Amino acid sequence: MSNEVYQGTGRRKASIARVRMSLGKGAILVNGKDYKNYLCRDTLATVVTQPLEEVDVMKTYDIKVNVNGGGLSGQAGAIRLGIARALLVADSAFRPALKSAGFLTRDSRKVERKKYGQPGARKRFQFSKR
């Protein structure tokens, strides 16, 4: 059982993260790099580790993540959801803690499309009465 791999998929905005988790020392690799180096900002690195800290297994699992699409913020959110789902596969007793913290909910917000006759999705060109 010590060699078992738990998988989870996370999505956010245009990003998709495939998470593979196994028992280990707590290393997190994102696309082959350390997650702190990959995500650059400390706030995004914190977002990724939130589910692990919630159930207090920060140093228990080694995590490998393949993520693509979108920007760093969307990728961090996708990784967080993927890790939370992989933790559920590993131990279903984590569910109440993860659910109450909101880590199992997929953030469905996406970019609204640009409309014709306007410079953006909602913004209008300046109105001229005369």
Side-chain angles (χ1 to χ4, degrees):
M1 282 299 243
S2 64
N3 212 9
E4 195 164 350
V5 175
Y6 308 104
Q7 295 182 331
T9 304
R11 293 183 187 87
R12 168 98 167 81
K13 292 188 179 183
S15 303
I16 301 171
R18 296 187 317 256
V19 176
R20 295 171 60 83
M21 192 170 73
S22 59
L23 289 174
K25 300 258 194 295
I28 303 176
L29 294 177
V30 178
N31 291 349
K33 297 180 184 176
D34 182 58
Y35 75 106
K36 289 181 181 173
N37 292 335
Y38 183 84
L39 293 170
C40 303
R41 297 193 293 267
D42 290 335
T43 51
L44 296 180
T46 307
V47 165
V48 166
T49 57
Q50 282 175 334
L52 299 168
E53 289 169 354
E54 184 69 30
V55 293
D56 201 33
V57 292
M58 194 67 190
K59 302 284 184 205
T60 312
Y61 294 103
D62 282 344
I63 299 173
K64 289 184 181 174
V65 182
N66 286 329
V67 65
N68 58 7
L72 288 179
S73 176
Q75 289 185 355
I79 293 168
R80 181 175 82 170
L81 180 59
I83 289 174
R85 287 180 173 172
L87 283 169
L88 271 190
V89 174
D91 188 354
S92 58
F94 293 152
R95 186 172 181 81
L98 293 172
K99 183 86 172 151
S100 65
F103 298 141
L104 298 178
T105 305
R106 175 11 173 143
D107 190 346
S108 61
R109 295 176 295 170
K110 298 233 176 170
V111 176
E112 190 175 337
R113 81 174 192 83
K114 180 193 173 299
K115 315 301 189 302
Y116 58 88
Q118 299 172 198
R122 304 271 174 107
K123 189 175 183 187
R124 306 284 202 264
F125 288 121
Q126 186 171 354
F127 176 74
S128 173
K129 201 168 203 176
R130 291 181 187 83

